[in-house]
Structures are given as structure tokens and as C-alpha cells.
Amino acid sequence: MSNRTFTMIKPDATKKGDTGAILDQIIKAGFAVKAMKWTKLTQEQAGLFYDIHRERPFFGELVDFMSSGPIVAAILEKDNAVEDFRTLIGATNPAQAAEGTIRKRFAASIGENAVHGSDSDENAAIEGNFFFSALERF
Ligand code: GDP
């Protein structure tokens, strides 16, 4: 079991001014920030990040959305990080997310769902490496 996961605060949330409240909930839940940046993805970068979804019908919408505004990317540390962070953010569709979860509180739809959380230790490492060099992690 790894103790790290990767997250993004997505463009819907950064645009609405929810970045601070979401980070507050993440840190109060016991996650330590090991790397963080405020950045904006190009369409090409968003497509590469979500390459696994390239054949899905929503891929075009996902790429447009994820490149539509700034994001916050971060590597987080906690025991059982991947699973605990998925619990903290809630279901992909906010309508099905548990009360109090980040997606329930801040997301509007299944597409524009406020935050990303890695779904496995392997993907957490791949996604962290997509954004951060060794010099950018503390
Ligand atoms: P996650 O692991 O909970 O983020 O969910 P998935 O890996 O299944 O999907 C990745 C991301 O694609 C989601 O977080 C959404 O932003 C987006 N997405 C998933 N399903 C849909 C959909 O039906 N429509 C649209 N527009 N976007 C979707």
C-alpha cells in the first residue's frame, strides 16, 4: 500500500472560487501536501492526462472542460491515501456522492465534478510524475 495520491482541483471549482475551501477540507482530513502547483492544461495535455478515456463518448467534453481554466495539481500524503481520498471526494456523479464529500459540496455534474483523485497507487505515481519533477516535491 502506498501513502501517496494525486489530485487536481478542476476548472469549475477554481473558477467558482472554491479552491481555498476544497484545500481546507483536504488538509483537515489529514492529507499533507507534498507538491502543489496552479497551472492550466492545453487541450493536448488534458488529452494525454486522460488518454485512458480516449475512446469514451465524453472524451471531447472532458478535454474541453479540463483545458477551460486553471487547475491546482497536488501530490498528497496520508496512510491509505488513494482509498481515503476517493472516500473524501465521493462518487464521480455528485448526485450519487455521499453527504459532506467534496463532490457533493462543490460539484455540479458528472463532468464538472470539482476534483480528481487517483484510482490506484500505480496511477497516483504516473499522474504525479505527469506534473512534478523530483525537485518540486517536499
Ligand atoms: P473518476 O475516477 O471518479 O474521476 O471518474 P472516471 O475515471 O470514470 O472519469 C474521469 C472523469 O471524466 C470524471 O471525473 C469526469 O470529469 C469525466 N466524466 C466521467 N463520466 C462522464 C460523463 O458521462 N460525461 C462527461 N461529460 N464527463 C464524464
Side-chain angles (χ1 to χ4, degrees):
M1 185 208 304
S2 154
N3 58 359
R4 289 196 174 195
T5 192
F6 170 81
T7 188
M8 286 185 286
I9 299 175
K10 298 186 178 183
D12 56 326
T14 62
K15 279 186 204 162
K16 281 189 225 157
D18 290 333
T19 303
I22 291 172
L23 286 175
D24 188 56
Q25 185 166 351
I26 290 170
I27 291 164
K28 287 203 171 115
F31 291 86
V33 175
K34 306 311 277 184
M36 180 173 282
K37 66 174 66 163
W38 175 272
T39 186
K40 186 169 184 287
L41 294 170
T42 63
Q43 289 232 333
E44 189 185 1
Q45 288 166 334
L48 284 173
F49 185 88
Y50 283 110
D51 198 50
I52 193 167
H53 294 310
R54 200 166 284 275
E55 304 308 322
R56 301 276 197 96
F58 58 82
F59 181 73
E61 266 178 41
L62 178 58
V63 165
D64 285 347
F65 165 57
M66 287 303 297
S67 57
S68 68
I71 59 145
V72 175
I75 295 172
L76 303 172
E77 189 170 86
K78 183 184 182 296
D79 288 348
N80 201 33
V82 166
E83 194 184 333
D84 285 3
F85 194 73
R86 296 283 294 190
T87 301
L88 180 69
I89 67 178
T92 308
N93 185 347
Q96 285 153 16
E99 214 51 55
T101 58
I102 292 176
R103 282 170 167 166
K104 186 70 171 187
R105 289 181 67 201
F106 297 104
S109 68
I110 191 170
E112 306 207 354
N113 60 2
V115 279
H116 168 81
S118 305
D119 63 4
S120 66
D121 291 346
E122 188 192 3
N123 284 336
I126 292 168
E127 292 167 2
N129 290 338
F130 186 92
F131 281 91
F132 298 102
S133 73
L135 281 172
E136 294 173 308
R137 301 160 192 230
F138 308 98

